[in-house]
Amino acid sequence: MSGNGFVGVIVEESHDNEVAGNHVFRNRDAVILQGNANTIRRNRVVDALGADDGSGFGIVLEGGQGNLIAANAIERTRAPGIWVDVPELDLPTVGNVLRFNEVVDAGTDGVIIESTATDTLLERNFTDGAGDDGIDVDSASTTLTKNRASHNDDLGIEAVAGVTDGGGNMAGGNGNPLQCTNVFCK
C-alpha cells in the first residue's frame, strides 16, 4: 500500500483478523486497528509522512482487547511508531501484546502506551532514533520485558511508577543520562 492521502490499512471495529506481510510506505498514516483478537505482524512500514494535524504514525491501536502487534519493522514516522489507545475514542484497550517490533526514526516516541490502556505487555521490542522517548509508558498496568532502546532524543524507556519490570530491559546512548525511569535497564 503506497501513496494514500489518508491511511494505508484500516481494520475498524472488526475482530479475529490478521494483517501480515505487507509493505506499507509513503502514506499519511500506515495502519489503524480497532477491534478484538486481531494480529498485525511481519509488516514493513516506511515513511508515514503525516500532515500538520499530528498524523504520521506507523501502527495505532485505537481500542480493543487481546490484539497482537508483532515482528513489524517501522521506519521514519512523523508521529509515534506504535501508539496504543487513542484517549479520545473511549474504547476499552485491554490485554494487548507488542512483541519483537522494531521502530527506527520515529518523529516523537518510538512506542507509546497511553494511561487508559490496561494489562499491556511489551516484550523484546527495539527502538532507535526516536525524536522523544524510545518507549513511553503512561499506564501502570503495563509489563516491560527484554526491550531495547538506543539513541533516542530523551529517555530510552520512560515508564510511570507501578509498571511491572519483567527484567532484561536495556538502554544506551539516549539523550537523557537516566536512560530509563521506573524499570531497571542494563
Side-chain angles (χ1 to χ4, degrees):
M1 284 66 74
S2 172
N4 293 291
F6 184 53
V7 180
V9 177
I10 299 176
V11 177
E12 201 167 50
E13 296 182 29
S14 188
H15 313 297
D16 300 308
N17 298 289
E18 182 171 357
V19 177
N22 297 288
H23 191 159
V24 185
F25 64 102
R26 297 194 57 78
N27 298 288
R28 179 176 160 186
D29 294 307
V31 180
I32 293 177
L33 172 63
Q34 292 177 0
N36 302 328
N38 295 294
T39 299
I40 308 292
R41 68 181 176 93
R42 293 186 302 104
N43 297 286
R44 180 147 191 232
V45 171
V46 179
D47 295 329
L49 304 173
D52 290 333
D53 60 359
S55 60
F57 51 78
I59 297 172
V60 63
L61 172 57
E62 292 183 338
Q65 302 178 31
N67 295 291
L68 173 65
I69 300 173
N72 297 286
I74 301 166
E75 301 173 44
R76 296 186 303 272
T77 62
R78 186 172 184 175
I82 301 175
W83 185 12
V84 175
D85 200 18
V86 179
E88 300 85 44
L89 295 180
D90 221 14
L91 299 170
T93 304
V94 180
N96 297 289
V97 175
L98 282 69
R99 182 178 285 139
F100 293 111
N101 297 290
E102 181 176 297
V103 180
V104 176
D105 295 332
T108 58
D109 295 313
V111 176
I112 185 165
I113 309 300
E114 295 287 354
S115 61
T116 48
T118 57
D119 298 323
T120 306
L121 171 64
L122 275 72
E123 182 179 43
R124 297 182 185 265
N125 298 286
F126 171 72
T127 63
D128 185 81
D132 192 16
D133 301 315
I135 298 172
D136 186 340
V137 178
D138 294 330
S139 172
S141 69
T142 303
T143 300
L144 293 111
T145 304
K146 297 183 180 177
N147 298 286
R148 294 181 302 137
S150 61
H151 306 106
N152 300 291
D153 284 0
D154 193 11
L155 288 159
I157 299 174
E158 180 178 12
V160 296
V163 299
T164 301
D165 185 345
N169 295 296
M170 299 173 62
N174 297 291
N176 189 320
L178 290 176
Q179 300 301 316
C180 296
T181 59
N182 296 308
V183 292
F184 176 77
C185 290
K186 295 179 186 179

